[in-house]
Amino acid sequence: MHRSSVSGVLSASLAIILAACAAEPEAPAASSVTVMTFNVENLFDNTDDPGKDDKAYLPIEAKQSEQHIAACNEIEVESWRNECLHLDWSDAAIARKLDLLAQTIRQVDGGPDVIAFQEVENESILNRLATEHLADLGYQPAILVEGTDTRGIDVALLSRFPQVGTPILHPLAIPDYPDRAGDTRGVLQATFELPNGGKLTAFSVHFPAPFHPTPMRIAAYEHLNGLLAALPDDHHAFAAGDFNTTSSEDERERLLDRFARPHWTVAHDLGCGDCRGTYYYAPDNNWSFLDMILFAPSRGAETTARIRGDSVRIANEFAAQVSAQATPLRHRGAGGTGVSDHWPMIAILDFD
């Protein structure tokens, strides 16, 4: 064959190959989502809301009535009673608290994509955090559905991704303990559309506190797992929050082995550096991962998804978070010290 003919054939073949490649649809771009869970320890405004036990979180001038003083004196725990009587939860105190929370969140470069919060009084105070202190991070309006916890602390979400559908709060029903219903929070569910078109459902949780019987937390795990099972097959899901499962209880009852690991990947199982936990209980000199991130990939989508193992960490590098004993330093409104008695956890979810 003449050289020019060979050249012509090769050029034609190359053109066909290039045309075929151009005609193939592009695969969805790989994406990642950074998730944080953060128990912000009593993020309240300073307005007295009917139906909520928020009397500790008022300006000092609103605490002078005989009725208020009498109500505070009914509180058995001395530190809580003194807070109710003497804490000046002023506008300046709230601004200081919000600034400390924002600095803690900013330990993630560029901010987490989705944050699951616990102990937030209302949507308004969380929107203040987002718009006044995190405005450059591009969060959508706060997601919070009012629950029935007696103190008025709710679970909530902030996300940079658009919502799909309407968020739902799934109340936790524990009929065996009707007298403890006021100290429970529901599971907040919201679904987001990812940049690659996938669906990610978030569950923000705050399980019953450790002083409640173990069956209450078992009921909470079962409640959460039922919600996961009910999701559409093409939804990825994560659950994040304060699971209130102490290391002692887990060692004794194997709650994670029984109720978490069969359904979810537990983020700190993949590695967490030298972190000991997110919460420290001084009387027992005991660390626990009360705060966890759990992940379940979709059952039907072609996209593969996982927690990036080397991404799991505790956000505790902000000096105001850490006590002299290298433990979480709870927030003291009177002096503006500390941030929260919990340290946040971070994990990156990868979607291919």
Side-chain angles (χ1 to χ4, degrees), residues 211-232:
F211 64 83
H212 291 302
T214 296
M216 291 182 66
R217 280 173 295 287
I218 290 176
Y221 278 109
E222 291 176 335
H223 184 217
L224 174 63
N225 290 336
L227 297 175
L228 174 65
L231 285 182

Side-chain angles (χ1 to χ4, degrees), residues 224-268:
L224 174 63
N225 290 336
L227 297 175
L228 174 65
L231 285 182
D233 285 351
D234 63 342
H235 284 221
H236 305 288
F238 76 87
D242 182 355
F243 288 78
N244 267 323
T245 303
T246 66
S247 55
S248 299
E249 181 181 56
D250 191 48
E251 182 177 353
R252 183 179 68 250
E253 302 287 346
R254 297 178 52 251
L255 295 184
L256 295 186
D257 281 346
R258 293 162 61 195
F259 302 106
R261 295 186 177 103
H263 309 279
W264 308 84
T265 299
V266 179
H268 63 269

Side-chain angles (χ1 to χ4, degrees), residues 25-316:
E26 292 185 7
S31 61
S32 63
V33 175
T34 302
V35 172
M36 172 184 278
T37 181
F38 193 2
N39 183 321
V40 290
E41 191 191 5
N42 297 322
L43 179 55
F44 280 78
D45 62 21
N46 55 10
T47 301
D48 189 6
D49 293 345
K52 294 184 179 182
D53 186 8
D54 58 355
K55 57 184 177 291
Y57 294 93
L58 299 173
I60 195 66
E61 57 268 20
K63 295 185 171 186
Q64 305 308 308
S65 69
E66 292 183 5
Q67 181 181 7
H68 180 89
I69 294 169
C72 291
N73 283 328
E74 293 292 322
I75 299 174
E76 295 183 4
V77 179
E78 182 180 6
S79 61
W80 297 351
R81 182 170 63 249
N82 288 336
E83 190 173 61
C84 181
L85 289 167
H86 307 301
L87 171 64
D88 183 9
W89 197 239
S90 63
D91 291 343
I94 293 173
R96 185 165 55 242
K97 169 86 171 182
L98 292 173
D99 180 65
L100 291 166
L101 296 177
Q103 292 188 66
T104 302
I105 290 167
R106 287 180 183 276
Q107 289 177 84
V108 174
D109 188 26
D113 295 305
V114 186
I115 310 173
F117 291 97
Q118 302 80 49
E119 298 200 13
V120 179
E121 184 185 19
N122 53 46
E123 189 177 87
S124 175
I125 193 69
L126 188 54
N127 274 324
R128 284 191 57 186
L129 174 65
T131 60
E132 296 176 17
H133 298 266
L134 300 171
D136 58 308
L137 300 186
Y139 290 113
Q140 303 278 335
I143 302 172
L144 185 150
V145 178
E146 291 285 348
T148 57
D149 177 274
T150 303
R151 286 204 298 133
I153 54 172
D154 291 305
V155 290
L157 291 158
L158 277 183
S159 172
R160 279 201 275 255
F161 304 121
Q163 280 190 71
V164 178
T166 303
I168 305 168
L169 182 69
H170 301 276
L172 175 62
I174 309 180
D176 291 343
Y177 300 93
D179 58 323
R180 300 172 187 252
D183 194 23
T184 61
R185 277 71 49 186
V187 174
L188 178 63
Q189 174 180 339
T191 296
F192 306 104
E193 183 172 350
L194 300 176
N196 65 1
K199 303 295 189 297
L200 177 64
T201 294
F203 297 107
S204 184
V205 309
H206 190 182
F207 283 7
F211 64 83
H212 291 302
T214 296
M216 291 182 66
R217 280 173 295 287
I218 290 176
Y221 278 109
E222 291 176 335
H223 184 217
L224 174 63
N225 290 336
L227 297 175
L228 174 65
L231 285 182
D233 285 351
D234 63 342
H235 284 221
H236 305 288
F238 76 87
D242 182 355
F243 288 78
N244 267 323
T245 303
T246 66
S247 55
S248 299
E249 181 181 56
D250 191 48
E251 182 177 353
R252 183 179 68 250
E253 302 287 346
R254 297 178 52 251
L255 295 184
L256 295 186
D257 281 346
R258 293 162 61 195
F259 302 106
R261 295 186 177 103
H263 309 279
W264 308 84
T265 299
V266 179
H268 63 269
D269 281 352
L270 302 179
C272 189
D274 60 355
C275 53
R276 295 168 288 177
T278 63
Y279 183 87
Y280 177 72
Y281 186 59
D284 293 343
N285 188 29
N286 178 261
W287 283 91
S288 296
F289 284 98
L290 294 191
D291 310 87
M292 298 191 292
I293 297 172
L294 313 181
F295 178 68
S298 74
R299 298 181 293 268
E302 295 181 0
T303 302
T304 58
R306 71 198 68 82
I307 297 177
R308 188 185 303 174
D310 61 1
S311 72
V312 182
R313 66 184 178 95
I314 305 297
N316 62 354

